[in-house]
Amino acid sequence: MKKIALLLLILVQACTAIINGPNTPIWDTGLFISVLDEEGNDLLNPDARYPKSINTNTIRLYHIIDGKESLVYNNSGESRWGYALLEPEGKYTNYRVRIAVNISS
């Protein structure tokens, strides 16, 4: 029992050191959205043409920081506009948009 308590104490101390240490922890946060119409058509599929299809190239994301709108744009990376279109894979049968969440404010 003492060994288990000691192991838990070391684990708690290690986690505390990571969270409170000199390096800020990285939080992988995001919002995933699929969009289907009434008939179940995938409206984010760039190869399909439905009356309500969404052109993801026109999506713009704004963060509201201190009451002011700020257009999300990153000069590098796959998510220049704060989101990425993800293809169907694994258990996901439809396209999805992953939106980067601002946790800094």
Side-chain angles (χ1 to χ4, degrees):
M1 185 66 168
K2 289 181 183 181
K3 289 181 182 180
I4 293 174
L6 180 60
L7 182 60
L8 287 174
L9 180 62
I10 291 170
L11 182 62
V12 168
Q13 289 296 331
C15 291
T16 304
I18 291 170
I19 293 171
N20 296 327
N23 298 322
T24 305
I26 297 173
W27 299 94
D28 186 11
T29 60
L31 175 66
F32 296 82
I33 299 173
S34 293
V35 183
L36 308 174
D37 65 11
E38 298 84 10
E39 292 146 12
N41 297 315
D42 184 356
L43 301 181
L44 294 175
N45 183 343
D47 299 323
R49 299 289 177 249
Y50 302 109
K52 296 180 182 177
S53 287
I54 297 170
N55 179 356
T56 57
N57 292 324
T58 63
I59 296 173
R60 295 298 175 260
L61 179 66
Y62 291 82
H63 289 160
I64 308 278
I65 300 172
D66 296 328
K68 297 178 185 168
E69 291 182 3
S70 174
L71 177 63
V72 175
Y73 183 76
N74 180 2
N75 233 1
S76 61
E78 70 173 30
S79 303
R80 289 182 188 259
W81 295 104
Y83 69 91
L85 182 63
L86 305 176
E87 295 182 359
E89 64 177 343
K91 67 179 182 178
Y92 301 103
T93 58
N94 298 307
Y95 278 82
R96 296 167 291 143
V97 171
R98 181 186 69 221
I99 298 174
V101 178
N102 181 3
I103 62 169
S104 63
S105 61

